Structure formats: C-alpha cells, structure tokens
Amino acid sequence: ARATTPLLPVGLSGPAYFVSHGGEAFPNLIVVLQGDGVRVDLVGDTFINKAGITSTTFNTVPDVPVGTFELYLPEGPYSALAANGNLCAEKLVMPTTFTAQNGAVMEQKTAISVGGCKPAIRVLRHRVKGKRAAIVVSVPSAGTLLVGGRGLSRVSRRVRGGGTLTVTLRLSKADQRFVARHHGRRLMAPVSLSFRPMRGERLQAQVAVLMR
C-alpha cells in the first residue's frame, strides 16, 4: 500500500498482512505504512460471508489529512488478498463514514479507480418496461456516448468522466404497430453503442434487447 500526506515530505508505503488473534472469527488485515521515521498500522476487521466473499472494514484511521491512498492487489490463484472478479467491468465505490472530533458525521460513497484497464465500453445490464429499455453502460473516460438501433430512438450523452450511466431508449411507433399486429410475439432489437473519448480512438459495443 502507498499513501501521501501533506504533513510529511515523503510518502508512506508498506506491506499488508493477515494477522490472526486468539478468539476472533477471522484474521485482521493490517496495512503497515512507513516513511520519514513514521510508522502507521491500519487495522481492519475482516468478514467472510456465506458466498465466500471477503471484506475488510477500517473502523478508525489516523487523525491526519490524507492526500491519496493506493492498495495493490496481487494477481494469481494463490493470493490471499486479491480482487474478486473483473474490477474493470463495474463501477467501484467504497462506503465511507467520517466522524469529526466535534461529533459531526459525514457519509458518502467514495469512488475507487482501477489502473491497468483496457479502454472499453460495456453494457452492465438492461431492463425493459413497456416500450422503453433502460441500458446501464460503463464508460472509461470523458467523452460522448451515442446509443441507438433499428426501430429505437437515438440518444447522445456527454459524460464528464469515467463511470456508469443509464440511457433510456423508446420503441418507435412503427415497431409498436408491428408488435400489436403480431400478438404474443416479441421483438429482439439490436442496440449499437459508440463512444468517442476526449482523447483516443472511438470505442464500440453491441447488445440485443428483447422488447415486449
């Protein structure tokens, strides 16, 4: 792990350990940060749910300003501290609660960025309700997203940064009449997605949406 703070002229870095204490159900995750003669141990409580997913909660952190914090997860089948699934495929957020010395509390979902991902646009999921289809798309950076398809409305969205957004498409009147004439049949509508980033080449993706 690596961290920076304006209180020190150098950054802090160090390894992460799983430490087992007697009487606890799961071992603690301890991140050891050192630099400029200072050592900080971040202690997190580990929990493993019934699905086998491991999570660690850091209930307290040092009362100092932190500029950045980076945690490197090693790859491979034998890593005790590794990513679960494809981190590049989803928008990642970390539930965060800040409690000030005066008792004030601020809660937020802190966005987590992942390095080393190949630029791509991905359809995370879609949902159809009536003659409308809501498509959740993940984009890698700022740019313009264009979504549409035969028999569907065409939508253009500008995004300021990487993340997820929801685009709603409507079935055209002509295809609504087609569905009405063929009662009981459904229309498989191909949707094309094109993303032009602020810098770099255009990215494309496709998904088939089953319209009722």
Side-chain angles (χ1 to χ4, degrees):
R2 295 178 181 176
T4 60
T5 172
L7 299 183
L8 297 177
V10 300
L12 302 175
S13 63
Y17 300 97
F18 275 121
V19 179
S20 179
H21 298 282
E24 294 190 355
F26 304 107
N28 293 120
L29 175 62
I30 300 180
V31 181
V32 182
L33 299 174
Q34 301 181 81
D36 199 39
V38 175
R39 170 174 168 169
V40 178
D41 293 344
L42 301 179
V43 181
D45 295 326
T46 304
F47 177 75
I48 303 176
N49 65 14
K50 295 181 179 180
I53 304 300
T54 302
S55 62
T56 299
T57 301
F58 294 89
N59 291 310
T60 58
V61 295
D63 188 16
V64 296
V66 177
T68 61
F69 178 81
E70 300 176 353
L71 180 63
Y72 293 83
L73 302 178
E75 299 178 355
Y78 303 109
S79 174
L81 184 63
N84 179 56
N86 184 4
L87 298 184
C88 298
E90 293 280 352
K91 180 180 179 180
L92 303 178
V93 293
M94 177 176 61
T96 308
T97 302
F98 295 98
T99 304
Q101 293 179 347
N102 62 356
V105 177
M106 181 181 71
E107 296 183 353
Q108 68 180 36
K109 292 183 179 180
T110 304
I112 301 175
S113 61
V114 181
C117 298
K118 183 179 179 181
I121 55 174
R122 298 179 177 86
V123 177
L124 304 181
R125 57 189 177 274
H126 63 269
R127 180 173 60 88
V128 175
K129 184 177 181 180
K131 303 300 185 292
R132 296 175 180 267
I135 303 175
V136 181
V137 185
S138 172
V139 297
S141 62
T144 302
L145 177 67
L146 184 63
V147 183
R150 184 177 180 180
L152 298 171
S153 59
R154 194 175 180 87
V155 177
S156 178
R157 294 277 298 275
R158 295 190 64 181
V159 293
R160 298 181 178 180
T164 60
L165 68 156
T166 301
V167 178
T168 301
L169 303 178
R170 298 186 306 276
L171 189 65
S172 69
K173 292 183 178 180
D175 280 319
Q176 289 183 34
R177 291 193 294 268
F178 171 84
V179 174
R181 288 197 306 268
H182 298 76
H183 181 70
R185 296 182 60 179
R186 295 178 178 179
L187 176 65
M188 184 67 73
V191 178
S192 297
L193 302 97
S194 177
F195 180 73
R196 186 177 295 278
M198 298 293 293
R199 297 178 181 178
E201 299 180 355
R202 185 174 61 178
L203 306 173
Q204 294 181 324
Q206 286 188 335
V207 63
V209 177
L210 187 64
M211 305 294 293
R212 300 184 185 279

